[in-house]
Amino acid sequence: MELSALVLLGLFFVLLFMNVPISFCIGLATLATMLLSMDLMPAITTLAQRMAGGLNSFALLAIPFFVLSGLLMGRGGIAKRLIECAMALVGALPGGLAVVNVVSCMLFGAISGSAVAATSAIGSFMLPEMKKQGYDDSYSAAVTAAASTTGLLIPPSNIMIVYAIASGGVSIAALFVAGYLPGILLGLALMIVCAGYAKIKGFPVAARLPLSVVIPKVAAAIPSMLMIVLVIGGIISGAFTATEAGAIAVVYSFVLAVLIYKEVALADLGKILLKSTETTAIVLALIATSAAMSWILSYENIPQSVSAGLLTLSENPILILLLINVILLVVGAFMDMTPAVLIFTPIFLPVAMELGMSPLHFGIMMILNLSIGLISPPVGSVLFVACAVAKVKLEQLLRPLLPMYLAMIAVLLLITYVPAISEWLPQAFGL
C-alpha cells in the first residue's frame, strides 16, 4: 500500500508541477499505480472502464445545464442590475461601496454559480466606482475576489454536484440547501471587515436613498433573483430534480437575457454554447479520470490506511479536523477545486465519518476550505482574474487580503465545529 500511495500521489504532484493538464496528471498517475499490480492491457482496460463508469450518472447532466445558464446570466446584463439593487439596499451602511461589492458578488455568484464569473462581472462595474470614492485598486480587487467565493456555497453550485458524486450519494438538494447559512455567514464576515476598513480610513457614509429610488432598483433585479427561487424552490418542493432544475435554469436564463433584457443577441449564442461546451468538457474529463483514481485508492485501501494513520495521531476530533483543514488549505493553494474535491473526498470523508461528522457537513466544510484556495497564491484562479480586472500585480493584493483570509478562516472553523450551521436547514426541509 505504501508503494502504491507513493507512486500515485508522487507522480501526480510531479506531473502537476511540470504544468501537465491536471486530468492527464490524474489519469497517468492512476495508470502507473495500476501497473504495480496488473499487466499493461488489463490496466488500460480497467482505466477506461472506470472512467466511463464515472461519467455514467444522471446527476452529472446538471453540470452542463448550470454552466450554460451561468454564462447566459453572466452576459445578460444581470451584474449591473444586481449592483444597483445592492446599492439601493445597503449602500448607506458603513463600508459603503465595499459592502455593496460583497452583496453583489453574493447575489451574482448565487445566480451564475461561478466565482470567476462573479469576479469578472462585478469587478468590471464596481472597481471603477470604488476608485472614484477613494478606495485603493488593490483593496477593491481583494474585496471582489474574496466575496466572489460566497457563490460556491450559495446554490446552485456546480462544485456541490461534483462533491455529491465524489461522496457516493449525498443528496444534491440537501447540499444546495445546506450552503445557504454558511454562504450568508461568510458574506457577513466579509462585510464586517469592509465596515472596519472604512471606519479606519474614514470613508464617508452615503445618504440613505428614498423609497422612490430604492423600489425601482430592487424591482429591476427581481427577475434575475427569481431564478434562485425557481431552481431551489422546485428542488426542495420535489417538483423536479437538480438535473431538471438545470434545464429549467437554461430556459429561464435564455428568456431573461435574450428576450427580456435583450443583452444577448441570437448571434452570440454560438460563442456562448461553445464556451459552455469547453468548460463542461474540462470538468467531465476531470470527473472521469478522478473516478478511476478513486477506484485505485479504494483497491489499494489507501483511504482506510490514511484514516487509521490520522486516528493514531490523536483521539481528539478537534485536532483531527483541524489537521484535515490545514491539509486542505495547503491543497487548495496548489490545486483547483474540482480535482481537489474528487481526489481528497474519498481520502478524508471516511476519517470525518469515523469522527461522527455527516457527509453533508463535511462537504460544506470542504467546499468553503477549498474556496479559500481560489484566492490563495500561487494557483488561485480567482486571484489572477481579480488582478487582471483591477490591473494590479499579485503581490499588491496579498496585504489587503490578509484580514479577509482571517475572516474566512474564522467562518471555516465555526462551520467545522458547529454542525448545525450546515445541517439545520436541510433537516428543517426534511432533506
Side-chain angles (χ1 to χ4, degrees), residues 139-154:
Y139 173 77
S140 302
V143 172
T144 307
S148 67
T149 62
T150 58
L152 300 170
L153 286 168
I154 302 173

Side-chain angles (χ1 to χ4, degrees), residues 215-236:
I215 293 174
K217 298 292 185 184
V218 174
I222 285 176
S224 303
M225 293 187 285
L226 274 178
M227 192 181 95
I228 304 173
V229 178
L230 179 67
V231 170
I232 305 303
I235 293 173
I236 292 174

Side-chain angles (χ1 to χ4, degrees), residues 316-329 355 357 365 369 409 412-413 416-417:
N316 189 332
I318 295 176
L319 293 178
I320 298 297
L321 290 176
L322 184 62
L323 178 60
I324 291 174
N325 271 317
V326 170
I327 294 172
L328 289 176
L329 284 170
L355 297 173
M357 179 180 274
M365 182 194 86
N369 192 308
I409 290 172
L412 172 63
L413 293 174
T416 299
Y417 297 116

Side-chain angles (χ1 to χ4, degrees), residues 72-74 76-83 85 107-108 110-112 156 217-231 249 252-253 256-257 260-261:
L72 285 169
M73 297 292 269
I78 310 302
K80 180 181 178 181
R81 290 169 175 83
L82 292 177
I83 289 171
C85 174
L107 293 172
F108 188 84
I111 291 170
S112 69
K217 298 292 185 184
V218 174
I222 285 176
S224 303
M225 293 187 285
L226 274 178
M227 192 181 95
I228 304 173
V229 178
L230 179 67
V231 170
Y252 187 81
S253 302
L256 203 62
I260 297 178
Y261 290 159

Side-chain angles (χ1 to χ4, degrees), residues 187-251:
L188 289 174
L190 293 173
M191 288 181 213
I192 291 171
V193 172
C194 293
Y197 180 86
K199 190 78 172 177
I200 293 170
K201 293 292 184 178
F203 288 118
V205 177
R208 189 180 299 275
L209 295 174
L211 284 178
S212 59
V213 176
V214 172
I215 293 174
K217 298 292 185 184
V218 174
I222 285 176
S224 303
M225 293 187 285
L226 274 178
M227 192 181 95
I228 304 173
V229 178
L230 179 67
V231 170
I232 305 303
I235 293 173
I236 292 174
S237 67
F240 39 75
T241 66
T243 302
E244 293 163 345
I248 291 170
V250 170
V251 174

Side-chain angles (χ1 to χ4, degrees), residues 59-126:
L60 287 178
L61 283 174
I63 292 178
F65 286 135
F66 281 122
V67 168
L68 179 55
S69 69
L71 287 172
L72 285 169
M73 297 292 269
R75 300 190 187 185
I78 310 302
K80 180 181 178 181
R81 290 169 175 83
L82 292 177
I83 289 171
E84 290 177 348
C85 174
M87 190 85 72
L89 292 174
V90 300
L93 294 177
L97 288 180
V99 173
V100 171
N101 196 334
V102 174
V103 175
S104 300
C105 285
M106 290 173 69
L107 293 172
F108 188 84
I111 291 170
S112 69
S114 169
V116 170
T119 302
S120 178
I122 301 300
S124 299
F125 282 99
M126 286 302 304

Side-chain angles (χ1 to χ4, degrees), residues 12-13 16-17 22 327-336 340 373 376-380:
F12 170 78
F13 283 108
L16 187 66
F17 285 114
I22 195 160
I327 294 172
L328 289 176
L329 284 170
V330 174
V331 166
F334 290 94
M335 189 184 299
D336 198 38
S376 302
V379 179

